[in-house]
């Protein structure tokens, strides 16, 4: 089960793509995220024996509750935190499935990701050995494309793609890491999308100054998640 | 990452440092001392940033008992789910550690664990004790801890059909359904005499590291554990320790059947701590971290005095000091500036505590009068003086006072067994030498009070030597996995070996509280002759002779003392040294006072009056020159005996008669009563009298044995003592008790006319 369907797949420039996807099972995606988060927390090893049953039940309740809130576009801290995870995870799987790029599973990403530490949300590797750095933005009542573009380029300026190398180097080959050090990288810009049509999105994005900077890199994939 | 303390203080890279710590906590739990140091520093030096992230901190630490607990990110939801899960199972917001301890106790026949001081294990135990259907036995290392448990349980178990007793006894049988016994290993022996009468389904060995003590107590502890296991195989056995790395040692050494599910070391903490160095030379305070490579190699100047900060914020401070420095008043001079920060309470707020103490000790708060007690007087300011030589009654009062939040500064000579087992905002270690590392860690664990408020709780620890302190903090505490009972120790004395053999062979005489060999020594013809002589002196017309009569005839008095000494010499198998004689004779004097019904207060008065020449000074009060040069009398303070190398010495050498410290007299008197008479001499004299009676049928021996053991031969009063009343209580309550038996106490209506604190001792039985 993929948990999404692709409703748009366009090429803006040879190295710039636009994917638009519909989540088909937010609960499934959330469950993947929650399971991965749980397995990384200290509680998981602390209490394997007695946690298992109770946790499963609780998890289901939370997933129902959160997904309902996401669908209703309720604006709470939990919804926005969960929404970001959902956008990130759906974008990641859709890129891996569509382009057959390297699959760095969410569990591994969470293992790497520092809780509360700002940084890229997901990663992949294209066929030309360029690491693509993914950033996901979820905004409950509007589309998150501008924020996602802004954040992606900001991280680049902060040299986040270099400082994160120690955390992610095990996922990637020597060549791709050398390329990364030379700045030969790409970006995946994922965002929650509302009713705006794809062509309008593309028009707006093309005019964006952060996008203008990002397009200078090896590859850019824009992923709009209808949520 | 390095120099974290300086970076936080200078507001550099705070988000990164915070992420580092919170990420560790998310993954591994609140177990690393540096992570908690970091959180504490940020919460002090960058409060705004910290407050924005408070949900993360409290969620990831698993501090689920906080009020208005909330989870605002998906990561936090994980913890929120777990919190609800615990709540569903136990109906309480326990922490993950607490819930696991409960789960294990409920699902194992034995469970041994260790956990830091602030874990809140007493809440967990309380739940188990309350829920138990049958009798519960709690074994603790000291009478001070018995007292503490008693207070806690009496306050939280309202059901009067549950007897809560500090000894093993079958009383109040008509009204009670079950018993909770809180006992030391020594008192636990009584259990086997009444074995068939109790159905015990839970044994709780708290502070079970006593097992590791290389003494007769350590041996006795293991012996008791084994006997309990053998006699009550269906009960659940729980062992709780602070900090130790291998709690399974307890199960290994006492041959329990177990696997890896039956033990665990918990390292999770509920409060943060930071550490200060108090530099003697410049009187400044410096921050320092335990892990130098992370927190910084160099100490960092603190821009505030942590003690003042705490006191000005109505917090509480514990000074860990030596007993000698309390006795010679040095600590009060050293910390005068902090004492001065404590203003007096309104009299009506604290008078009940002061009055209770004055009534019990006979002390006064008037500095210019005899019997002046600094201990009582300081309570007016919120200052508590606490050490191992305080009578339990005084400790109880001080603990109640502290529990009510009145204590601002506590000076304590706290070893684990003797201290106030309460959290403070700041712990100042004025000394590290001569303390067991485990006790020091326990003490440090008291820095930081956990609250239900939705905030991160933390405490301060101040030391005078960073290197020694770091060593203690980084050292693992490991329990031996083989009991001393199984080890051949060549270097021990005869008494120790005799005791060990008796425990191993199950030949310890539980009735007489002595080994077979010891009882044999006290059953010789030679001893019987001495006892007869002693009884002839002490009884006059079947009554114990009055003190006045005894004092009239100096020869007879000397004969009496000599008889007691000879019994003890026979028991030891040698003559007493001069130093031992002095201590022994003082003890006998106190025993005789007790036999004559003198209260603790009376005994302290007599001793003070003697040492300080109070009558002589009163008669010469108009001769200041004389009084200003009048030395105190030669005074033999308590020393441990037997000790043949003990030399006689004057504890008040160089002290003027008018300057004799009444607090010193109180604690010294208690040391005699508790450590020498109660712990050693009573058993010797009681056993010799019982054996003599078996041999001679001389009823006077039984009568005196009761006087020595209980301080009375009045059966009604002995019953009252068995119900936990003290002589001080009996003095007040006797006339209001209509009937008392092992089955019940029936009181007169008049008892309800007494103030509540006077009725407290008996309230569970009426």
């Amino acid at each position: 089960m993929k948990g999404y369907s692709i409703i748009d797949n366009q090429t803006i420039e040879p190295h710039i793509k636009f994917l638009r996807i519909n989540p088909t099972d937010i609960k499934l995606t959330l469950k993947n995220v929650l399971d991965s988060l749980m397995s990384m927390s200290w509680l998981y090893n602390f209490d394997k024996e007695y946690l298992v049953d109770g946790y499963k039940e609780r998890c289901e309740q939370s997933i129902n509750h959160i997904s309902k809130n996401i669908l209703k576009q309720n604006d709470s801290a939990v919804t926005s935190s969960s929404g970001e995870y959902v956008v990130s995870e759906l974008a990641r799987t859709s890129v891996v499935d569509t382009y057959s790029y390297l699959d760095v599973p969410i569990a591994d990403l969470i293992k790497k990701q520092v809780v509360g530490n700002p940084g890229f949300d997901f990663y992949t590797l294209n066929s030309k050995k360029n690491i693509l750095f993914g950033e996901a933005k979820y905004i409950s009542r509007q589309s998150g494309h501008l924020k996602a573009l802004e954040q992606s380029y900001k991280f680049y300026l902060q040299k986040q793609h270099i400082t994160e190398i120690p955390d992610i180097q095990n996922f990637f080959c020597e060549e791709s890491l050398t390329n990364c050090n030379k700045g030969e990288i790409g970006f995946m810009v994922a965002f929650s999308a509302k009713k705006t049509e794809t062509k309008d999105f593309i028009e707006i994005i093309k005019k964006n100054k952060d996008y203008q900077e990002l397009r200078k890199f090896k590859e850019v994939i824009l992923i709009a998640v209808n949520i | 990452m390095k120099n974290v303390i300086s970076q936080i203080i200078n507001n550099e890279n705070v988000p990164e440092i915070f992420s580092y710590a919170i990420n560790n906590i998310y993954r591994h739990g609140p177990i690393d001392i540096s992570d908690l140091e970091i959180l504490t520093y940020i919460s002090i030096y960058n409060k705004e940033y910290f407050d924005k992230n408070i949900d993360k901190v409290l969620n990831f630490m698993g501090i689920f008992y906080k009020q208005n607990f909330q989870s605002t990110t998906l990561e936090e939801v994980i913890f929120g789910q777990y919190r609800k899960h615990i709540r569903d199972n136990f109906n309480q917001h326990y922490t993950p550690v607490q819930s696991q301890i409960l789960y294990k106790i409920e699902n194992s026949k034995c469970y041994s664990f260790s956990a830091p001081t602030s874990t809140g294990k007493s809440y967990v135990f309380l739940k188990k004790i309350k829920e138990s259907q049958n009798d519960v036995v709690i074994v603790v290392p000291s009478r001070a801890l018995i007292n503490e448990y008693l207070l806690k349980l009496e306050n939280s178990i309202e059901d009067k059909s549950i007897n809560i007793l500090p000894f093993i006894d079958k009383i109040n049988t008509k009204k009670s359904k079950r018993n909770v016994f809180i006992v030391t290993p020594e008192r636990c022996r009584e259990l086997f005499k009444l074995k068939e009468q109790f159905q015990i389904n839970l044994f709780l060995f708290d502070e079970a590291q006593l097992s590791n003590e290389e003494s007769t107590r350590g041996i006795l502890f293991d012996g008791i554990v084994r006997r309990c296991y053998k006699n009550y195989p269906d009960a659940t056995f729980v062992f709780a320790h602070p900090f130790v790395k291998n709690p399974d040692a307890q199960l290994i050494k006492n041959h329990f059947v177990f696997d890896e599910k039956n033990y665990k070391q918990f390292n999770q903490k509920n409060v943060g701590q930071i550490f200060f160095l108090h530099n003697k030379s410049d009187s400044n305070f410096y921050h320092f971290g335990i892990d130098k490579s992370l927190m910084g190699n160099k100490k960092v100047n603190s821009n505030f005095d942590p003690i003042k900060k705490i006191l000005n914020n109505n917090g509480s401070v514990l000074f860990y000091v030596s007993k000698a420095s309390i006795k010679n008043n040095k600590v009060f001079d050293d910390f005068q500036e902090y004492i001065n920060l404590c203003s007096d309470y309104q009299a009506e707020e604290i008078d009940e505590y002061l009055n209770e103490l004055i009534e019990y000790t006979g002390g006064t708060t008037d500095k210019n009068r005899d019997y002046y007690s600094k201990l009582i007087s300081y309570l007016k300011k919120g200052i508590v003086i606490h050490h191992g030589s305080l009578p339990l009654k005084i400790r109880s009062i001080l603990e109640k006072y502290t529990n009510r939040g009145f204590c601002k500064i506590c000076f304590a000579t706290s070893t684990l067994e003797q201290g106030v087992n309460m959290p403070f905002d700041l712990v100042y270690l004025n000394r590290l030498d001569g303390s067991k590392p485990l006790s020091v860690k326990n003490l440090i664990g008291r820095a930081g009070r956990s609250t239900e408020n939705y905030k991160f709780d933390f405490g301060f620890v101040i030391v005078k030597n960073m290197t020694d302190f770091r060593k203690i903090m980084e050292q693992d505490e490991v329990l031996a996995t083989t009991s001393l009972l199984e080890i051949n120790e060549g270097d021990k004395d005869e008494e120790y070996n005799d005791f060990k053999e008796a425990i191993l062979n199950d030949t310890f005489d539980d009735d007489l509280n002595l080994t077979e060999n010891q009882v044999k020594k006290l059953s010789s013809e030679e001893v019987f002759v001495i006892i007869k002589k002693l009884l002839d002196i002490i009884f006059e017309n079947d009554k114990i002779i009055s003190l006045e009569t005894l004092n009239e005839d100096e020869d007879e008095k000397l004969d009496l003392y000599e008889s007691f000494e000879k019994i003890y010499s026979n028991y030891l198998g040698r003559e007493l040294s001069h130093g031992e004689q002095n201590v022994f004779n003082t003890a006998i004097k106190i025993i005789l006072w007790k036999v004559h019904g003198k209260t603790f207060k009376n005994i302290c008065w007599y001793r003070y009056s003697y040492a300080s020449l109070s009558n002589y000074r009163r008669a010469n009060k108009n001769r200041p020159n004389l009084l200003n040069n009048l030395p105190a009398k030669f005074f033999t303070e308590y020393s441990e005996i037997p000790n043949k190398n003990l030399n006689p010495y004057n504890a008040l050498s160089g002290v003027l008669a008018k300057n004799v410290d009444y607090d010193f007299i109180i604690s010294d008197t208690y040391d005699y009563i508790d450590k020498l008479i109660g712990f050693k001499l009573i058993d010797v004299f009681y056993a010799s009298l019982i054996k003599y009676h078996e041999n001679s049928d001389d009823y006077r021996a039984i009568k005196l044995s009761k006087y020595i053991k209980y301080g009375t031969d009045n059966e009604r009063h002995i019953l009252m003592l068995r119900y936990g009343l003290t002589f001080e209580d009996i003095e007040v309550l006797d006339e209001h008790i209509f009937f008392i038996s092992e089955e019940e106490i029936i009181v007169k209506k008049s008892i309800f006319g007494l103030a509540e604190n006077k009725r407290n001792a008996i309230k569970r039985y009426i």
Side-chain angles (χ1 to χ4, degrees), chain B residues 101 105 111 113 121-122 124-129 135-141 149 153 180-183 188 200-208 221 225 228 235-240:
Chain B
I101 294 171
I105 296 176
Y111 188 56
F113 71 93
K121 66 175 170 13
S122 53
V124 170
F125 290 165
L126 188 62
K127 180 177 164 72
K128 292 314 301 168
I129 293 164
D135 300 314
V136 174
V137 176
I138 304 163
V139 181
V140 294
Y149 257 102
L153 294 182
V180 178
F181 300 118
I182 312 144
V183 290
C188 190
I200 294 160
N201 61 2
L202 177 63
F203 281 95
L204 201 56
F205 292 87
D206 201 358
E207 307 291 353
F221 183 90
V225 170
C228 293
T236 298
F237 288 79
V238 178
F239 299 91

Side-chain angles (χ1 to χ4, degrees), chain B residues 625-638:
Chain B
N625 279 346
L626 176 84
L627 298 186
N628 286 338
N629 293 297
L630 181 70
K633 286 279 253 187
F634 187 97
F635 190 85
T636 302
E637 71 178 330
Y638 163 77

Side-chain angles (χ1 to χ4, degrees), chain B residues 142 144 386-389 395 413-420 675:
Chain B
S142 66
H386 197 288
H387 51 79
S389 302
R395 285 190 216 187
T413 61
S414 180
T415 67
L416 161 69
E417 293 80 6
Q418 294 167 340
V420 200
K675 297 186 176 123

Side-chain angles (χ1 to χ4, degrees), chain A residues 30 33-38 40-43 45-55 57-63 66 76-79 81-82 85 109-118, chain B residues 15-16 18-20 22-23 25-30 49 56 59-62 64 71-75 77-82 84-86 88-90 96-97 99-100 103-104 261 264 266 268:
Chain A
L30 262 177
V33 175
L34 265 176
D35 283 351
S36 304
L37 282 173
M38 179 64 194
M40 283 315 300
S41 81
W42 64 279
L43 297 177
N45 287 320
F46 177 77
D47 194 1
K48 271 186 179 153
E49 191 184 340
Y50 129 86
L51 180 75
V52 184
D53 296 338
Y55 168 67
E57 200 182 305
R58 278 276 160 218
C59 196
E60 213 122 293
Q61 288 174 22
S62 295
I63 289 167
I66 295 169
S76 78
V78 175
T79 317
S81 151
S82 315
Y85 270 112
L109 290 172
I110 287 173
K111 207 177 285 176
K112 171 257 139 197
Q113 251 170 8
V114 178
V115 175
N117 202 20
Chain B
E16 286 76 12
F18 177 79
S19 287
Y20 167 85
I22 202 72
N23 182 50
I25 290 174
Y26 181 82
R27 279 142 202 261
H28 311 296
Y49 180 84
K56 274 193 179 61
N59 270 277
F60 298 170
M61 284 180 73
F64 297 153
S71 306
T72 50
T73 64
L74 201 55
E75 294 93 332
V77 166
I78 303 266
F79 287 80
Q81 283 170 354
Y82 193 68
K84 284 179 190 151
H85 178 48
I86 290 172
D88 286 353
N89 277 276
F90 298 110
V97 171
S99 69
Q100 190 163 116
Y103 176 78
K104 291 290 189 172
K261 287 182 184 162
K264 185 155 182 165
F266 295 101
Q268 288 79 4

Side-chain angles (χ1 to χ4, degrees), chain A residues 77 114-118, chain B residues 13-23 25-26 38-40 42-43 46-63 69-73 75-76 454-456:
Chain A
V114 178
V115 175
N117 202 20
Chain B
N13 303 320
V14 170
E16 286 76 12
I17 297 170
F18 177 79
S19 287
Y20 167 85
I22 202 72
N23 182 50
I25 290 174
Y26 181 82
I38 289 174
L39 293 186
T40 309
I42 297 179
S43 74
N46 204 326
K47 193 170 179 316
E48 200 182 330
Y49 180 84
F50 190 87
D51 286 348
K52 278 186 199 153
N53 290 285
I54 186 73
D55 296 343
K56 274 193 179 61
V57 173
L58 300 182
N59 270 277
F60 298 170
M61 284 180 73
I63 312 181
F69 196 89
Q70 48 200 348
S71 306
T72 50
T73 64
E75 294 93 332
E76 290 161 29
Y454 197 72
K455 68 183 186 66
F456 174 66

Side-chain angles (χ1 to χ4, degrees), chain B residues 300-531:
Chain B
V300 180
N301 195 25
S302 164
N303 62 11
F304 59 89
D305 174 337
I307 307 174
K308 279 188 187 158
K309 186 180 173 110
I310 295 289
L311 289 175
N312 289 335
N313 287 331
N314 297 321
S316 59
V317 173
L318 174 69
F319 285 101
Y320 172 51
V321 297
S322 70
K323 194 171 163 192
S325 66
I326 288 183
K327 190 178 155 191
N328 62 24
N329 286 316
K330 188 170 181 303
V331 282
F332 308 115
D333 295 336
D334 286 355
F335 298 112
Q336 190 63 49
E337 75 170 298
Y338 302 114
I339 292 173
N340 290 343
L341 287 177
C342 304
S343 50
D344 281 8
Y345 284 112
Q346 299 285 331
E348 59 269 23
E349 288 180 279
I350 49 157
D351 263 2
E352 65 172 286
Y353 304 98
L354 264 64
N355 290 341
E356 223 180 320
L357 282 169
I358 289 168
E359 202 174 305
Y360 177 71
T361 64
T364 157
T365 56
D366 184 343
K367 208 171 178 177
N368 300 314
R369 283 178 49 200
D370 280 342
Y371 313 106
Y372 167 71
S373 165
K374 183 178 261 171
L375 182 141
I376 303 175
S377 190
Y378 263 10
L379 291 182
K380 290 182 184 170
K381 285 173 166 296
I383 296 169
V384 170
I385 302 168
H386 197 288
H387 51 79
S389 302
L390 289 181
L392 289 179
K393 170 92 177 174
I394 297 184
R395 285 190 216 187
S396 289
I397 298 168
L398 294 181
E399 274 154 32
K400 274 188 235 163
Y401 173 94
T402 309
N403 270 322
R404 284 278 311 275
F406 288 120
C407 175
K408 299 172 196 164
I409 293 179
C410 177
F411 291 99
T413 61
S414 180
T415 67
L416 161 69
E417 293 80 6
Q418 294 167 340
V420 200
N421 199 4
M422 292 209 45
F424 289 82
D425 296 298
L426 185 153
V427 171
Y428 187 111
L429 301 170
N430 201 33
R431 56 188 288 242
L432 283 174
D433 53 308
S435 314
K436 293 181 217 157
L438 194 55
S439 300
V440 174
K441 278 191 186 173
N442 234 324
L443 206 63
I444 295 161
R446 302 205 187 136
R449 294 192 280 185
S450 59
T451 65
E452 288 184 7
N453 302 336
Y454 197 72
K455 68 183 186 66
F456 174 66
D457 299 313
F458 59 82
F460 297 157
V461 177
I462 304 178
V463 297
K464 288 169 152 180
N465 182 324
M466 286 191 292
T467 316
D468 289 353
F469 181 70
R470 280 199 184 106
K471 256 188 226 158
I472 290 177
M473 292 301 276
E474 285 166 353
Q475 186 180 324
D476 279 331
E477 305 305 325
V478 181
L479 295 179
T481 50
T482 310
S483 167
L484 285 178
L485 287 169
E486 264 99 29
I487 293 174
N488 195 0
E489 302 163 280
D491 57 339
K492 296 291 181 183
D493 63 22
E494 195 194 323
E495 196 180 356
Y496 180 90
N497 290 332
D498 183 34
F499 184 82
K500 186 166 160 180
E501 213 166 289
I503 297 291
L504 267 177
N505 302 331
D506 218 356
T507 56
F508 196 88
D509 190 326
D510 290 328
D511 284 320
L512 297 177
N513 219 2
L514 295 172
T515 67
E516 250 181 3
N517 281 338
Q518 288 167 331
V519 174
K520 212 192 251 168
K521 282 184 197 168
L522 294 170
S523 313
S524 69
E525 197 51 43
E526 196 186 341
V527 172
F528 290 162
V529 171
I530 302 165
I531 290 178

